[in-house]
């Protein structure tokens, strides 16, 4: 496992605040688009195939119906 | 009688009655059904190698309509080997620049200009009827040199019986039916392959419920010779995507993605087509509609391309979406692979098991093409809300950020496939460049005189670089050519060393007749070459 799943953000409240602030005033469609752009930007920053696929699996594991 | 299903652009092989129509069935070593680009290229390859071949086509020439227009470098290299490449390049339009738009805005542009040092450009645009015509002209020239090729126009295959050692065909002509027998039958009869149907074979795959309108227009316009592609085009009623691309003779290919829920007849009304084209080209643009068509496409292939003594090549075996120019180009790679194998099997120099490798290698190629074209289709026509959101996010980001541009997929343009891990591949005994590993198609390089690929004709060739080639001119009746090059004399640009030596000082390559690398070594003896040739021919040890 190359994906980090232990705490890695120095100031979690500050980040979470910034995440919500980035969506402020946007409607659902605009927010969806922002999220998509954010995922692409972060994915490119990570780059490493193994890490990306582990991240996809980790996120997907919670999608139970 | 033989139905005429389409109009002819060039009448190249008019029907003539032949004595065989009044005699008992004559046996031919190879019969090709379908005289399209794939069938004609195969006929040319076999005929030039001296193997007699009969082409049966249900029309008298090349059908109208530009259809396939994008021919890739590898196709041109194969056409060069067959002696038909130069007129194609002379007539074709060379293009390198592509621009991608989203609505009104240009997202980015790309330049396909390949690494320098290739004889042929990355692509030319050429209407399919010209491509076919140049092949038939090369066949006529080969026939004059004695190549045993026969083309029978308006000969429709209507019945087929497969026997253990031959295939019997019923052939319909304007003068009635007759029978033909073939040791080997090659079905190059297109996506709706009657041969495939007569054999009760089918294939599975994805059908895309989308319709594309092609309008080829003739105009003398100021547009540059570039490929322009729009996602969500801004002009009225233009559908979900559009393409503008130049062909020879002042013809422009315009392609609109109409969606799945359309009235085909209404959309083909010239008034309606003109309204769309007017909106795209701007008011007052003067043009004539040259050819229009609506098509849907499928991504699928047969499970295997060899069924005993019947082989399938081109669209009869596999189909892809048009994005990426992987239709005709992959069919030409099929016959490049099949030609030399069938020739050696017919001549008794290789066991017929060699033809199983045709199926294995080209199924591998078809899967690569289907994967690429399916991915392009998923990007072009997002199937869910979230895939549309991601698609548009990619296009948004691509305007400002280089990282997102490789994610934009308006078709990954055809490149030849590498036969990695295939049974014909021999030793990789060289710590050489990846691009020329066993299974890869040889990469061209400029030599002191001419180009490398022109020195690799349709036979096994030992390519020795900076070392003496082992002395070997024949392996079990199969002749072996030799090309010896010294990079300090023959490699003016350094491309040869870069593409075939890498960090190594010397190398010996065994090249197959289709210019794919069979094996390579830092040093080797004649015995190593002999084993590699036998392996590439699926002959047992000592063959």
């Amino acid at each position: 496992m190359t994906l980090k799943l232990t705490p890695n953000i120095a100031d979690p409240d500050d980040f979470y605040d910034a995440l919500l602030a980035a969506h402020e005033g946007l409607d659902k469609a605009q927010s969806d688009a922002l999220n998509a752009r954010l995922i692409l930007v972060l994915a490119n920053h990570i780059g490493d195939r193994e890490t990306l696929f582990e991240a996809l699996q980790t996120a997907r594991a919670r999608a139970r119906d | 009688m033989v139905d005429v299903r389409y109009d002819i652009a060039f009448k190249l092989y008019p029907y003539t009655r032949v004595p065989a129509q009044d005699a008992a069935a004559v046996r031919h070593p190879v019969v090709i059904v379908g005289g399209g680009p794939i069938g004609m290229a195969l006929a040319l390859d076999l005929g030039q190698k001296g193997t007699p071949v009969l082409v049966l086509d249900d029309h008298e020439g090349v059908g109208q309509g530009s259809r396939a227009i994008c021919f890739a470098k590898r196709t041109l290299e194969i056409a060069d080997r067959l002696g038909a490449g130069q007129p194609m390049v002379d007539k074709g339009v060379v293009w390198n620049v592509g621009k991608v738009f989203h609505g009104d805005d240009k997202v980015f542009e790309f330049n396909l200009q390949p690494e320098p040092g290739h004889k042929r450009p990355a692509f030319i645009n050429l209407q399919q009827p010209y491509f076919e015509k140049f092949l038939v002209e090369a066949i006529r020239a080969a026939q004059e040199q004695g190549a045993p090729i026969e083309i029978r126009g308006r000969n429709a295959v209507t019945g087929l019986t497969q026997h253990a050692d031959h295939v019997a065909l019923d052939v319909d002509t304007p003068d009635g039916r007759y029978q033909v027998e073939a040791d080997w039958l090659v079905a190059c009869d297109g996506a709706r392959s009657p041969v495939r149907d007569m054999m009760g074979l089918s294939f599975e795959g994805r059908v895309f419920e989308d319709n594309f309108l092609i309008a080829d227009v003739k105009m003398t316009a100021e547009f540059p010779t570039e490929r322009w592609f729009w996602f969500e085009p801004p002009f009225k009623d233009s559908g979900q995507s559009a393409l503008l691309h130049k062909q020879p003779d002042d013809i422009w290919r315009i392609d609109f993605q109409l969606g799945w829920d359309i009235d085909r007849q209404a959309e083909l009304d010239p008034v309606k087509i003109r309204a769309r084209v007017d909106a795209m080209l701007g008011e007052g643009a003067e043009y004539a509609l040259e050819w229009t068509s609506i098509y849907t496409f499928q991504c699928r292939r047969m499970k295997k391309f060899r069924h005993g003594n019947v082989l399938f090549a081109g669209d009869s075996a596999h189909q892809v979406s048009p994005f990426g120019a992987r239709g005709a180009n992959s069919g030409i790679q099929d016959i490049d692979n099949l030609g030399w194998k069938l020739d050696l099997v017919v001549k008794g120099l290789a066991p017929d098991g060699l033809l199983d490798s045709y199926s294995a290698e080209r199924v591998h190629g078809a899967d690569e093409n289907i994967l690429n074209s399916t991915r392009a289709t998923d990007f072009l026509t997002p199937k869910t809300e979230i895939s549309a959101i991601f698609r548009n996010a990619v296009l948004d980001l691509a305007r400002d950020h280089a990282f997102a541009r490789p994610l934009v997929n308006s078709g990954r343009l055809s490149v030849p496939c590498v036969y990695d891990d295939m049974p014909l591949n021999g030793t990789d005994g060289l710590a050489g460049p990846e691009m020329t590993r066993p299974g890869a198609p040889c990469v061209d390089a400029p030599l002191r005189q001419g180009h490398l690929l022109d020195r690799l004709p349709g036979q096994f060739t030992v390519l020795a670089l900076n070392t003496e080639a082992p002395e070997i001119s024949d392996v079990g009746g199969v002749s072996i050519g030799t090309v010896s090059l010294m990079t300090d004399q023959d490699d003016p640009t350094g491309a040869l060393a870069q593409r075939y030596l890498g960090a190594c000082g010397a190398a010996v390559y065994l090249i197959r007749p289709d210019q794919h690398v069979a094996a390579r070594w830092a040093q080797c003896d004649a015995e190593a070459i002999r084993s590699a040739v036998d392996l590439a021919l699926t002959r047992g040890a000592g063959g």
Side-chain angles (χ1 to χ4, degrees):
Chain A
M1 197 84 171
T2 64
L3 180 70
K4 241 177 236 160
L5 288 173
T6 51
N8 193 39
I9 297 173
D11 188 340
D13 291 347
D14 179 56
F15 162 71
Y16 196 77
D17 196 33
L19 182 63
L20 294 191
H23 283 272
E24 223 167 73
L26 302 184
D27 63 22
K28 175 78 165 72
Q30 290 169 321
S31 267
D32 284 349
L34 185 150
N35 277 342
R37 291 195 296 273
L38 182 62
I39 289 169
L40 294 168
V41 167
L42 293 173
N44 181 67
H45 181 80
I46 294 164
D48 178 62
R49 184 179 189 278
E50 204 181 325
T51 311
L52 288 172
F53 278 61
E54 283 169 8
L56 288 170
Q57 276 168 14
T58 303
R60 172 77 196 191
R62 299 299 304 172
R64 300 191 190 99
D65 46 8
Chain B
M1 274 304 294
V2 186
D3 289 339
V4 175
R5 290 180 291 113
Y6 50 78
D7 295 331
I8 298 297
F10 303 114
K11 191 168 180 173
L12 299 175
Y13 31 90
Y15 171 74
T16 24
R17 195 181 171 88
V18 292
Q21 286 170 249
D22 305 308
V26 175
R27 180 78 65 89
H28 296 261
V30 179
V31 171
I32 295 170
V33 181
I38 312 309
M40 288 305 185
L42 179 62
L44 183 55
D45 200 6
L46 288 169
Q48 284 176 340
K49 289 177 158 75
T51 286
V53 55
L54 170 65
V55 180
L56 302 175
D57 191 85
D58 60 356
H59 286 67
E60 297 187 302
V62 177
Q64 269 181 357
S66 54
R67 293 166 290 155
I69 60 162
C70 255
F71 293 94
K73 176 156 64 86
R74 183 64 199 145
T75 295
L76 299 174
E77 290 167 353
I78 295 165
D80 276 342
R81 182 173 67 72
L82 299 174
Q86 195 56 46
M88 294 172 182
V89 175
D90 289 345
K91 180 75 189 173
V93 170
V94 176
W95 62 276
N96 294 307
V97 173
K99 288 183 180 156
V100 176
F101 302 87
H102 188 196
D104 280 311
D105 304 322
K106 186 171 93 176
V107 177
F108 72 104
E109 65 179 76
F110 58 87
N111 192 329
L112 280 181
Q113 188 65 53
E115 43 178 342
H118 293 256
K119 181 177 173 189
R120 292 311 183 195
F123 279 93
I124 62 165
N125 281 3
L126 181 70
Q127 292 90 326
Q128 184 176 332
Y130 281 121
F131 186 86
E132 296 185 44
K133 180 167 176 273
F134 295 140
L135 283 172
V136 174
E137 284 168 1
I139 286 176
R140 297 304 182 207
Q143 285 170 324
E144 279 176 32
Q145 303 295 312
I149 307 170
E150 186 184 352
I151 304 171
R152 293 184 193 163
R154 252 182 130 190
N155 273 235
V157 174
T158 55
L160 180 155
T161 315
Q162 204 173 5
H163 299 279
D165 66 337
H166 73 282
V167 182
L169 300 172
D170 295 321
V171 181
D172 204 4
T173 74
D175 290 317
R177 282 188 186 200
Y178 72 109
Q179 272 75 44
V180 170
E181 290 181 1
D183 290 335
W184 297 97
L185 183 76
V186 188
C188 302
D189 51 350
R192 293 186 193 90
S193 175
V195 168
R196 200 184 56 226
D197 284 348
M198 283 182 253
M199 292 179 67
L201 299 167
S202 63
F203 39 20
E204 291 171 4
R206 289 174 68 180
V207 178
F208 292 94
E209 288 189 353
D210 213 320
N211 292 281
F212 293 79
L213 169 69
I214 294 178
D216 274 5
V217 305
K218 189 176 180 82
M219 62 176 176
T220 42
E222 296 295 312
F223 298 111
T225 305
E226 298 171 350
R227 178 188 195 259
W228 288 7
F229 190 95
W230 285 264
F231 292 96
E232 300 179 338
F235 10 97
K236 188 173 179 293
D237 289 337
S238 53
Q240 299 170 58
S241 70
L243 176 78
L244 179 69
H245 217 173
K246 190 171 197 277
Q247 304 168 50
D249 302 338
D250 295 320
I251 307 285
W252 296 79
R253 161 68 56 92
I254 300 175
D255 210 327
F256 297 108
Q257 183 184 348
L258 299 183
W260 60 274
D261 189 15
I262 62 159
D263 178 345
R264 286 176 70 96
Q265 269 328 101
E267 294 297 344
L268 278 170
D269 179 353
V271 175
K272 190 146 190 192
I273 293 175
R274 291 197 73 99
R276 284 185 200 283
V277 175
D278 286 344
M280 182 184 201
L281 300 177
E283 274 309 304
E286 284 190 24
Y287 62 88
L289 288 179
E290 184 80 6
W291 180 66
T292 59
S293 175
I294 287 183
Y295 65 93
T296 58
F297 58 81
Q298 300 172 324
C299 287
R300 57 184 194 171
R301 68 162 167 86
M302 296 176 78
K303 201 162 171 227
K304 52 190 180 130
F305 300 168
R306 179 190 176 193
H307 289 261
N309 39 25
V310 180
L311 300 139
F312 292 83
D315 281 355
S316 73
H318 49 75
Q319 289 139 41
V320 293
S321 78
F323 313 113
R326 289 166 182 270
N329 287 305
S330 70
I332 294 294
Q333 287 169 55
D334 287 349
I335 66 89
D336 190 39
N337 188 293
L338 178 58
W340 65 274
K341 295 174 180 175
L342 192 51
D343 171 65
L344 293 176
V345 169
V346 167
K347 287 174 177 159
L349 294 169
D352 72 271
L354 179 59
L355 297 171
D356 291 330
S357 77
Y358 160 70
S359 183
E361 290 181 334
R362 293 313 301 162
V363 160
H364 174 72
D367 283 346
E368 193 174 289
N369 287 321
I370 288 170
L371 176 69
N372 276 292
S373 91
T374 303
R375 286 174 169 178
T377 307
D378 287 342
F379 193 87
L380 282 158
T381 44
K383 299 293 184 293
T384 62
E385 189 189 359
I386 192 69
S387 55
I389 289 169
F390 275 115
R391 199 279 303 272
N392 290 338
V394 167
L395 291 172
D396 281 346
L397 288 166
R399 288 166 215 220
D400 299 327
H401 304 294
F403 89 81
R405 290 168 200 161
L407 293 168
V408 176
N409 191 346
S410 65
R412 300 282 178 232
L413 292 166
S414 173
V415 289
C417 114
V418 177
Y419 302 133
D420 278 323
D421 305 319
M422 288 285 139
L424 303 192
N425 294 353
T427 311
D428 188 2
L430 183 78
E434 274 279 289
M435 70 171 92
T436 44
R437 65 191 182 274
C442 283
V443 184
D444 206 1
L447 304 179
R448 187 160 41 95
Q449 284 184 324
H451 282 76
L452 177 66
L453 293 189
D454 289 335
R455 304 281 295 275
L456 305 172
Q459 64 167 351
F460 279 96
T461 303
V462 173
L463 170 66
L465 300 171
N466 296 345
T467 183
E468 212 162 296
E471 241 175 78
I472 188 163
S473 59
D474 174 290
V475 177
V478 174
S479 60
I480 312 293
T482 299
V483 174
S484 291
L485 298 169
M486 305 298 281
T487 49
D488 61 353
Q489 301 161 29
D490 299 307
D491 186 21
T493 65
L496 183 67
Q498 186 237 327
R499 292 166 192 175
Y500 288 85
L501 291 174
C504 305
V508 179
Y509 280 76
L510 176 66
I511 314 289
R512 303 183 346 182
D514 56 9
Q515 298 177 336
H516 280 251
V517 175
R520 63 179 182 178
W521 304 264
Q523 288 289 332
C524 78
D525 56 15
E527 193 44 47
I529 302 281
R530 198 168 287 124
S531 308
V533 170
D534 281 335
L535 179 67
L537 294 176
T538 63
R539 297 198 289 209

